[in-house]
Amino acid sequence: MELVVVILAAGKGSRMHSDLPKVLHQLAGKPLLAHVMDAARSLNPQKIVTVYGHGGDQVQAYFNQYKTNAPLQWVLQEQQLGTGHAVAQTLPHISAHATVLILYGDVPLIASNTLQSLVAAVNEKTLALLTVETDQPQGYGRIIRDKNNQVCCVIEQKDATPEQQKIREINTGMVAVPGHWLKQWLPNLKANNAQGEYYLTDIIKKAVEDHLTIQVFHPQTLAEVEGVNDRKQLAALERCYQAAQAEKLLLAGVTLLDPQRFDLRGTVEIGKDTIIDVNIIIEGQVKIGSRVMIGANVILNNVVIGDDVVIKPFTHIENSIIEAECEVGPYARLRPGTHLSRHAKVGNFVEVKDSLVGEDSKINHLSYVGNAELGKNVNVGAGTITCNYDGANKHKTIMKDNAFIGSNASLVAPVIIGEGATVGAGSVISKNAPDGKLTLTRAKQETNNRWQRPRKQ
């Protein structure tokens, strides 16, 4: 059966106090709506139909570049007349023989397996409803059951009697429905309720009247169905998400010295016996080998790290490859295009960009290396910089095997430092340095014996 996922994302999000549409606010480095779309995409639907309203241009601009395995269609809800009205706008995109799964763009942590259960239960005579029991049901629609404990309707908070408001089972809003019935019910909804809106929940009563079975499912955790209406709720769900990611890594054999101070804002693969200290942020796609030591306050963004690597505290690495047995930091910055070969070392206050650092080579401290290629066993002294930018174009510096660069050298690219060459400390090298020789530039040192230091009057 064809599956169509409808995502309601038209809300203004006034309580966010932001110019950014609510569904574009980020959780774990990704917009709320992106989390929902990813969950929908995991079901392999034939199409995803998103209902937009406030800030629709911004939302569409972001997600029209978003990769999905199903056509992404947009439907405008010009007037905010309730959830039933919102879904009704999508009816031209829904065929009668489809199963329709309805989700919410501000409920980001819904799990794929929960949605799979809903979809699998739907047939011509069955509707699948997701509910949850909570000790704090205020604000949610209550699930009303008959004397046989079968669901008969949903009553919204403002329309519920005091006795009904005591009910702890609430409606999450997520439902899977046969398309044929949805196309029949939605045009007949009425807005005769406390809010003057067309409630999607009224289709439950209509399903009962048409003798459909209401099959009820529950999420594994309450966080799956919690929505975001303000920044406090967003922060709470962020911590729920991060706690779940940390738990997965712990159970997979990764040591997190403090799971509450670990943030994953992308995807990560980690080998055996890796130890991660506090305040680590992982972004993008990261792969970490076995027996890796990562110090405190490290940021990793789209990085591949080999086995037995040591990343010392306060290091920032982005779009880089670090082979086995390397040592990086503390306070190092590896910018995009950096590749450290096996057993290379980059020390404190060193910045490397778009460069290959050869096996056993060292840049120990206080240096900048950009657009460079270092061979094996190269030593770069403290304070050395590659002058790779002439104000318009970038140029390459090559340091061949066993080159030794003295402290505070400036290598003006394009330039080649030959194999086994030595560059004297403090030199400005603008021409190629030959293999095996000492090359330096140095002014004559003089002492003025008649000079006296000035004194204050």
Side-chain angles (χ1 to χ4, degrees):
M1 183 180 289
E2 177 185 355
L3 174 62
V4 176
V5 178
V6 172
I7 303 176
L8 305 187
K12 186 176 181 180
S14 300
R15 283 178 277 174
M16 299 297 288
H17 299 288
S18 173
D19 294 330
L20 190 70
K22 178 169 68 171
V23 294
L24 290 185
H25 282 265
Q26 294 197 349
L27 183 148
K30 189 166 65 175
L32 298 175
L33 181 54
H35 286 272
V36 182
M37 283 192 176
D38 284 347
R41 185 173 60 175
S42 71
L43 305 175
N44 296 312
Q46 276 60 55
K47 67 176 72 171
I48 299 173
V49 184
T50 303
V51 181
Y52 71 94
H54 298 283
D57 291 343
Q58 288 177 267
V59 176
Q60 289 184 73
Y62 182 94
F63 285 98
N64 282 338
Q65 304 176 41
Y66 195 72
K67 294 181 181 179
T68 64
N69 57 353
L72 183 58
Q73 299 178 339
W74 298 94
V75 174
L76 174 64
Q77 185 188 20
E78 293 186 4
Q79 294 178 285
Q80 306 296 299
L81 300 178
T83 51
H85 176 262
V87 178
Q89 310 311 300
T90 70
L91 290 180
H93 300 276
I94 295 172
S95 64
H97 62 272
T99 293
V100 182
L101 174 65
I102 299 170
L103 306 177
Y104 295 81
D106 60 357
V107 183
L109 300 188
I110 185 64
S112 298
N113 55 1
T114 298
L115 299 181
Q116 288 169 354
S117 298
L118 288 176
V119 171
V122 174
N123 57 51
E124 181 63 20
K125 298 298 291 182
T126 303
L127 177 152
L129 179 66
L130 189 65
T131 75
V132 67
E133 289 198 5
T134 175
D135 293 329
Q136 296 180 325
Q138 291 76 19
Y140 294 94
R142 306 306 201 275
I143 302 299
I144 308 301
R145 294 178 178 267
D146 61 21
K147 61 183 179 181
N148 297 318
N149 202 36
Q150 299 299 307
V151 174
C152 56
C153 66
V154 178
I155 300 295
E156 296 298 331
Q157 167 89 21
K158 292 185 178 180
D159 300 300
T161 65
E163 192 64 27
Q164 290 171 334
Q165 290 184 16
K166 296 178 182 178
I167 296 173
R168 295 174 59 248
E169 186 181 13
I170 62 170
N171 175 45
T172 68
M174 288 178 241
V175 60
V177 192
H180 159 70
W181 289 109
L182 196 64
K183 293 171 81 73
Q184 179 175 318
W185 295 329
L186 288 180
N188 296 313
L189 294 181
K190 305 296 182 184
N192 52 352
N193 51 63
Q195 299 188 84
E197 294 182 349
Y198 297 94
Y199 293 154
L200 178 65
T201 49
D202 286 348
I203 68 172
I204 303 302
K205 184 176 181 180
K206 291 183 177 295
V208 172
E209 293 171 351
D210 287 320
H211 307 291
L212 271 73
T213 298
I214 310 297
Q215 189 161 344
V216 174
F217 294 86
H218 307 296
Q220 290 187 344
T221 66
L222 183 60
E224 278 191 56
V225 296
E226 289 184 336
V228 173
N229 293 303
D230 55 39
R231 295 178 191 267
K232 181 180 178 181
Q233 291 175 331
L234 178 60
L237 284 188
E238 178 78 40
R239 296 332 310 160
C240 286
Y241 178 89
Q242 296 301 345
Q245 306 316 305
E247 182 178 3
K248 290 177 184 177
L249 293 176
L250 291 167
L251 294 175
V254 178
T255 296
L256 302 178
L257 296 187
D258 187 347
Q260 294 183 351
R261 289 187 284 173
F262 169 84
D263 279 66
L264 177 59
R265 301 172 187 172
T267 60
V268 66
E269 297 178 36
I270 304 179
K272 297 179 180 178
D273 298 314
T274 286
I275 299 175
I276 298 178
D277 210 327
V278 302
N279 299 331
I280 307 302
I281 298 176
I282 293 178
E283 301 174 323
Q285 295 180 324
V286 173
K287 186 174 182 179
I288 301 172
S290 298
R291 300 173 302 280
V292 174
M293 300 282 292
I294 299 178
N297 303 295
V298 168
I299 299 176
L300 304 175
N301 187 333
N302 293 314
V303 179
V304 176
I305 299 175
D307 296 340
D308 302 295
V309 168
V310 176
I311 308 294
K312 294 186 177 180
F314 295 96
T315 293
H316 187 173
I317 307 175
E318 179 182 4
N319 294 96
S320 298
I321 297 173
I322 303 172
E323 295 186 19
E325 300 176 9
C326 288
E327 184 176 311
V328 184
Y331 294 97
R333 184 184 181 196
L334 304 187
R335 293 171 60 191
T338 296
H339 186 148
L340 304 188
S341 301
R342 188 181 187 92
H343 206 256
K345 182 178 179 181
V346 171
N348 52 288
F349 302 104
V350 172
E351 179 178 340
V352 183
K353 178 186 88 62
D354 197 21
S355 296
L356 172 63
V357 179
E359 188 172 332
D360 291 309
S361 290
K362 300 175 182 178
I363 314 169
N364 277 328
H365 20 242
L366 301 163
S367 296
Y368 168 72
V369 174
N371 299 96
E373 183 178 318
L374 282 65
K376 296 180 180 179
N377 198 37
V378 172
N379 187 91
V380 177
T384 295
I385 64 169
T386 56
C387 307
N388 57 314
Y389 183 52
D390 63 9
N393 300 297
K394 301 288 181 68
H395 302 281
K396 194 166 188 177
T397 299
I398 297 175
M399 305 176 217
K400 294 188 176 181
D401 294 354
N402 300 304
F404 184 96
I405 314 299
S407 298
N408 290 316
S410 297
L411 308 180
V412 183
V415 69
I416 299 174
I417 309 302
E419 184 173 346
T422 297
V423 172
S427 295
V428 177
I429 303 298
S430 57
K431 297 178 182 179
N432 293 348
D435 295 354
K437 304 294 183 181
L438 169 64
T439 302
L440 72 162
T441 59
R442 192 165 296 165
K444 181 181 178 182
Q445 181 172 317
E446 295 183 352
T447 300
N448 187 334
N449 293 318
R450 293 177 295 177
W451 179 86
Q452 291 184 350
R453 181 178 294 172
R455 296 182 180 180
K456 290 184 179 180
Q457 298 297 325

